[in-house]
């Protein structure tokens, strides 16, 4: 073979090898992109397909009579995929959607930080009216699209502390439950939080084709990969919406709370924490501004006093003291004690000759003696050992009443209150260095004892039922199968004889209806109210306390009222409680002048006026 021919053949071989290698590289890279590289596949799909989350309708909330309290309204989130935003007339876009250029830049930066390929929320909760104003121009904005979701609407401006509110998930929520994604909403308080899993439903998915103009042109493969959302379960609560609204009106211009329970079931009829606020203030795009205002308000409207406040119970505690004393046998129904004011201060009244009279007159020295007999029973020669023994027994009985522990109501953030035990006093004073004389203030509901208003209403239920209670709860049943929580059907017996609670009920009847009682302002013609007043000592003006139930036999309602810095229980809390009872039992209040007096009164210390951001009318 000639030399030139051999060289030509060699060069041709080299060229073929180069072409083969280049071809192999291209084929390999194409395979990597189309078969193995998931990022490329996802990007290609997103150019032609759009995965839309189908948010389920959140469950509705009803009152005990079937009145709708919370429902949903359709709103839209403007979503953005930063990688697909091209050729955007930013000034025109900002003018259309009603934001500044600075806001646009900030939101796009946040979206890119999250992901350039995945969709994130650019603008939240756009109303139907806002959407209609610029939806026809949306196709011009590549990379942007609308996604529907629902917004909570509260039909009456009531029960904010019970119903709660919904807010956007935070990092903690995302870590706890993989169900949630950024931009999702979750119950933050009240029933919305307690029944989040029942209310939220199950998200669905829809895959749609998108044309070059960013317009949806149909379902992908006839919906083969679509899943339908499952609506959340409806809640049917124990609340009486009319009674709730009425109790909130009574607590206007006041700080405190009202808790009303049906004794025979433990169903909460009304739960009010004052000051109240309209739950619609925490809905939509005004939620952030209003939440900050509410959280900074010196009157603490976000604080649920009915469940979270731990107050000195004052004289209502004497009812429990007398029941424990009777059951232990350290006193009997006819035991009398002198009203010795040198022991503990008291108002002017005759000495009580029985437990019934002591409850009626709320005699402080009587319960000083009773508590002394409970704490120092003479079981040990040492008063210190004897006091430890007695306090241990007393503490156990107080827990049976539901004090000193969380009553497991179906609402979050419930306080325990405090019932001191031997460990507490040993730590505080030193073991063997305290006795009854150190802790006697507990006898009249002062000292170290604190209780939660929910526990106070439960005390009224216990007396109404003559010695037992059902756990207070706010939801009767939920879902299409009318599911209930079994723990709310369990009866809790205190192990104290019912005959002693008959004595307490008669004494509480006398508080309201007979001469020498402390709550005549709670008297209603033809309704046998049984009640107990309390005036809880405080650093400022004393707190006004009252617990009651009615009627005396076959009770339908038990009520606890706590009005901060208002003074005597018989002057403020008792009349308010009687109005709540009259409204519930009669369906109307006939004492209109009396009603007006307590609705318009403002007995608490005045605080600055606060103004909130109002949501736009839709």
């Amino acid at each position: 073979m000639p030399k030139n021919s051999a060289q030509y053949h060699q060069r041709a071989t080299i060229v073929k090898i180069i072409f083969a290698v280049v071809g192999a590289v291209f084929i390999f890279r194409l395979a990597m992109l189309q078969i193995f590289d998931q990022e490329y596949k996802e990007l290609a799909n997103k150019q032609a397909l759009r995965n839309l989350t189908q948010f389920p309708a959140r469950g509705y909330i009803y009152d005990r009579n079937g009145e709708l309290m919370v429902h949903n309204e359709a709103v839209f989130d403007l979503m953005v995929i930063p990688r697909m935003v091209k050729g955007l007339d930013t000034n025109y876009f900002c003018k259309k959607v009603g934001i500044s250029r600075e806001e646009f830049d900030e939101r796009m930066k946040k979206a890119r930080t999250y992901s350039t390929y995945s969709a994130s929320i650019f603008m939240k909760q756009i109303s139907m009216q806002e959407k209609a104003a610029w939806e026809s121009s949306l196709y011009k904005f590549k990379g942007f699209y609308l996604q529907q979701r629902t917004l909570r609407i509260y039909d009456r401006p009531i029960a904010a502390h019970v119903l709660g509110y919904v807010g956007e998930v935070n990092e903690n929520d995302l870590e706890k439950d993989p169900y949630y994604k950024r931009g999702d909403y979750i119950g933050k308080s009240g029933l919305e939080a307690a029944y989040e899993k029942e209310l939220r439903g199950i998200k669905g998915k829809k895959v749609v084709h998108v044309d070059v103009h960013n317009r949806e042109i149909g379902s992908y493969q006839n919906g083969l990969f679509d899943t339908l959302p499952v609506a959340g379960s409806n809640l049917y609560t124990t609340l009486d919406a009319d009674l709730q609204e009425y109790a909130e009106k009574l607590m206007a211009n006041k700080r405190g709370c009202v808790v009303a329970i049906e004794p025979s079931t433990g169903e909460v009829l009304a739960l009010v924490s004052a000051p109240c606020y309209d739950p619609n203030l925490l809905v939509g795009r005004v939620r952030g501004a209003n939440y900050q205002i509410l959280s900074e308000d010196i009157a603490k409207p976000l604080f649920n006093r009915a469940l979270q406040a731990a107050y000195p119970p004052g004289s209502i505690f004497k009812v429990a003291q007398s029941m424990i004393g009777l059951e232990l046998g350290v006193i009997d129904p006819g035991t009398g004690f002198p009203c010795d004011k040198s022991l503990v201060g008291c108002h002017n009244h005759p000495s009580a000759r029985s437990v019934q009279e002591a409850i009626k007159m709320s005699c402080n020295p009587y319960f000083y003696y009773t508590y002394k007999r409970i704490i120092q029973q003479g079981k040990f020669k040492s008063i210190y050992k004897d006091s430890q023994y007695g306090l241990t027994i007393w503490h156990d009985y107080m827990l049976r009443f539901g004090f000193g522990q969380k009553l497991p109501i179906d609402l979050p953030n419930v306080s325990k209150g405090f019932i001191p035990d031997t460990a507490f006093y040993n730590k505080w004073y030193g073991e063997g260095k305290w006795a009854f004389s150190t802790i006697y203030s507990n006898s009249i509901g002062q000292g170290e004892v604190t209780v939660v208003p929910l526990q106070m209403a439960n005390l009224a239920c216990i007396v109404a039922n003559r010695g037992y209670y059902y756990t207070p709860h706010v939801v009767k049943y939920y879902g299409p199968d009318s599911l209930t929580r079994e723990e709310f059907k369990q009866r809790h017996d205190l192990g104290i004889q019912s005959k002693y609670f008959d004595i307490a009920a008669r004494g509480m009847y006398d508080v309201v209806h007979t001469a020498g009682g402390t709550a005549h302002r709670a008297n209603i013609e033809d309704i046998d109210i049984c009640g107990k007043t309390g005036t809880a000592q405080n650093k400022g003006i004393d707190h006004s306390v009252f617990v009651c139930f009615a009627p005396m036999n076959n009770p339908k309602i038990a009520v606890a009222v706590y009005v901060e810095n208002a003074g005597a229980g018989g002057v403020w809390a008792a009349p308010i409680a009687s109005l709540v009872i009259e409204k519930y039992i009669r369906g109307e209040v006939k004492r209109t002048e009396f009603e007006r007096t307590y609705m318009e009164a403002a007995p608490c210390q005045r605080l600055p006026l606060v103004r909130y951001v109002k949501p736009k009318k839709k």
Side-chain angles (χ1 to χ4, degrees):
M1 182 181 292
K3 185 176 181 182
N4 290 340
S5 177
Q7 289 177 342
Y8 175 80
H9 181 74
Q10 187 178 10
R11 288 173 183 172
T13 302
I14 293 171
V15 170
K16 287 178 182 179
I17 291 171
I18 291 171
F19 272 102
V21 170
V22 171
V25 169
F26 272 106
I27 291 169
F28 177 75
R29 182 58 181 158
L30 189 61
M32 286 294 293
L33 288 172
Q34 294 186 338
I35 299 172
F36 302 107
D37 194 326
Q38 291 298 317
E39 182 177 309
Y40 179 85
K41 285 179 68 178
E42 289 179 12
L43 180 58
N45 283 336
K46 286 173 182 176
Q47 297 283 1
L49 302 178
R50 179 176 294 157
N51 291 303
L52 300 177
T53 300
Q54 300 288 90
F55 289 99
R58 197 168 176 86
Y60 287 8
I61 302 179
Y62 298 84
D63 88 333
R64 69 188 295 108
N65 300 310
E67 179 180 331
L68 183 62
M69 298 185 74
V70 187
H71 70 277
N72 303 314
E73 184 176 276
V75 293
F76 300 85
D77 288 338
L78 182 61
M79 311 296 291
V80 62
I81 303 173
R83 182 72 171 74
M84 296 177 64
V85 178
K86 295 179 179 178
L88 182 67
D89 184 340
T90 308
N91 292 331
Y92 176 70
F93 175 85
C94 292
K95 184 178 180 181
K96 259 307 185 187
V97 301
I99 61 173
S100 67
R101 179 59 188 263
E102 290 74 20
E103 287 177 300
F104 173 87
D105 291 338
E106 184 180 341
R107 293 179 188 189
M108 284 300 297
K109 181 180 178 182
K110 186 176 180 181
R112 290 191 191 97
T113 301
Y114 170 62
S115 172
T116 57
Y117 295 98
S118 298
S120 59
I121 297 176
F122 183 85
M123 181 181 290
K124 302 175 186 176
Q125 301 169 355
I126 298 163
S127 69
M128 292 287 287
Q129 290 79 1
E130 290 173 306
K131 168 180 174 281
W134 49 265
E135 185 180 21
S136 60
S137 304
L138 188 61
Y139 76 92
K140 299 177 182 178
F141 311 136
K142 290 184 179 181
F144 291 90
Y145 67 92
L146 289 171
Q147 181 167 274
Q148 184 173 330
R149 65 165 70 242
T150 56
L151 198 67
R152 293 303 248 179
I153 300 297
Y154 301 88
D155 289 66
R156 295 202 209 180
I158 61 172
H161 295 92
V162 181
L163 299 174
Y165 63 90
V166 174
E168 191 171 340
V169 294
N170 55 32
E171 292 298 327
N172 190 41
D173 299 322
L174 294 172
E175 289 177 8
K176 284 183 178 179
D177 194 337
Y179 171 86
Y180 300 101
K181 307 298 179 188
R182 291 182 186 276
D184 283 356
Y185 287 79
I186 189 173
K188 292 289 188 179
S189 69
L191 291 177
E192 296 281 16
Y195 287 84
E196 166 64 17
K197 290 186 178 180
E198 291 80 8
L199 286 166
R200 75 187 183 189
I202 302 172
K203 288 183 282 191
K205 184 179 73 171
K206 185 177 182 181
V207 186
V208 297
H209 277 293
V210 181
D211 66 13
V212 294
H213 297 295
N214 197 35
R215 293 177 295 203
E216 295 176 12
I217 56 175
S219 181
Y220 176 61
Q221 292 193 12
N222 296 317
L224 179 63
F225 299 101
D226 296 353
T227 58
L228 291 174
V230 178
S233 297
N234 295 333
L235 299 186
Y236 298 86
T237 73
T238 64
L239 294 178
D240 184 312
D242 290 339
L243 187 68
Q244 177 76 27
E245 183 173 42
Y246 183 74
E248 290 191 14
K249 288 180 179 178
L250 285 171
M251 291 300 291
N253 309 313
K254 305 169 186 70
R255 295 189 306 281
C257 53
V258 175
V259 181
I261 303 175
E262 183 178 70
S264 61
T265 62
E267 295 178 0
V268 175
L269 303 171
L271 191 149
V272 176
S273 178
C276 311
Y277 64 91
D278 183 348
N280 289 297
L281 289 172
L282 297 181
V283 171
R285 280 181 275 172
V286 298
R287 191 188 83 85
N290 281 332
Y291 183 84
Q292 183 172 355
I293 294 169
L294 287 165
S295 62
E296 293 174 355
D297 188 341
I298 194 172
K300 297 183 179 180
L302 290 175
F303 181 64
N304 190 341
R305 287 166 164 84
L307 301 183
Q308 296 174 273
Y311 295 111
S315 293
I316 66 169
F317 206 56
K318 296 171 182 175
V319 175
Q321 300 280 34
S322 59
M323 296 299 97
I324 295 170
L326 287 168
E327 183 62 29
L328 292 175
V330 298
I331 58 172
D332 60 48
T335 297
F337 292 116
C339 184
D340 185 350
K341 296 178 185 177
S342 66
L343 299 173
V344 59
C346 196
H347 49 282
N348 294 321
H349 61 77
S351 294
R353 297 165 296 179
S354 66
V355 173
Q356 183 174 334
E357 283 193 355
I359 291 173
K360 179 186 82 169
M361 295 184 288
S362 196
C363 179
N364 287 340
Y366 188 98
F367 291 96
Y368 172 97
Y369 283 117
T370 299
Y371 186 58
K372 183 176 183 179
R373 289 191 177 186
I374 294 170
I375 300 303
Q376 293 185 183
Q377 297 180 30
K379 302 290 185 180
F380 298 89
K381 291 182 179 179
S382 166
I383 61 169
Y384 304 111
K385 286 186 178 180
D386 207 31
S387 295
Q388 289 214 29
Y389 173 82
L391 187 71
T392 300
I393 295 173
W394 174 83
H395 183 269
D396 174 67
Y397 271 103
M398 283 300 173
L399 293 183
R400 297 188 202 183
F401 275 94
F403 298 129
Q405 59 185 316
K406 290 183 181 180
L407 281 175
I409 189 173
D410 48 349
L411 287 171
N413 304 319
V414 182
S415 296
K416 296 191 300 183
F418 184 67
I419 300 296
D421 58 9
T422 55
F424 172 79
Y425 285 124
N426 285 341
K427 185 176 181 180
W428 196 353
Y429 293 112
E431 189 169 355
K433 295 183 179 180
W434 60 271
F436 164 77
S437 59
T438 320
I439 62 173
Y440 71 87
S441 293
N442 294 336
S443 64
I444 56 173
Q446 296 294 155
E448 291 71 54
V449 171
T450 60
V451 301
V452 178
L454 178 67
Q455 296 169 340
M456 299 179 192
N458 195 53
L459 171 63
C461 288
I462 291 168
V463 181
N465 292 331
R466 307 307 195 262
Y468 66 88
Y469 69 92
Y470 293 94
T471 300
H473 55 284
V474 184
V475 173
K476 288 172 75 77
Y477 57 91
Y478 57 89
D481 298 324
S482 301
L483 300 173
T484 59
R485 293 189 176 178
E486 289 299 316
E487 61 265 32
F488 297 144
K489 299 178 183 178
Q490 296 174 6
R491 172 170 155 166
H492 304 280
D493 286 278
L494 272 66
I496 297 176
Q497 297 174 69
S498 61
K499 65 181 181 180
Y500 296 139
F501 287 99
D502 280 329
I503 295 170
R506 290 196 296 271
M508 292 170 70
Y509 175 89
D510 291 344
V511 167
V512 178
H513 299 279
T514 67
T518 57
H520 292 156
R521 296 189 190 191
N523 190 4
I524 307 173
E525 186 178 353
D526 300 328
I527 298 179
D528 294 337
I529 294 180
C530 301
K532 182 70 191 78
T533 57
T535 304
Q537 292 180 5
N538 181 48
K539 291 181 180 179
I541 302 172
D542 292 341
H543 302 315
S544 179
V545 196
F546 190 66
V547 298
C548 60
F549 63 89
M552 182 175 180
N553 298 308
N554 192 25
K556 303 297 181 186
I557 183 172
V559 181
V561 175
Y562 212 101
V563 186
E564 294 180 8
N565 310 120
V571 176
W572 291 103
I576 290 171
S578 76
L579 288 164
V580 171
I581 286 177
E582 184 177 3
K583 174 69 174 178
Y584 184 70
I585 292 180
R586 286 181 174 163
E588 62 175 345
V589 174
K590 296 180 178 179
R591 300 173 293 165
T592 54
E593 287 299 320
F594 187 81
E595 175 188 61
R596 185 179 299 110
T597 296
Y598 284 93
M599 276 193 178
E600 295 176 356
C604 306
Q605 297 164 354
R606 294 185 177 275
L607 294 172
L609 178 67
V610 176
R611 301 189 184 278
Y612 302 103
V613 179
K614 294 183 179 180
K616 294 179 181 178
K617 292 185 178 180
K618 297 177 181 178

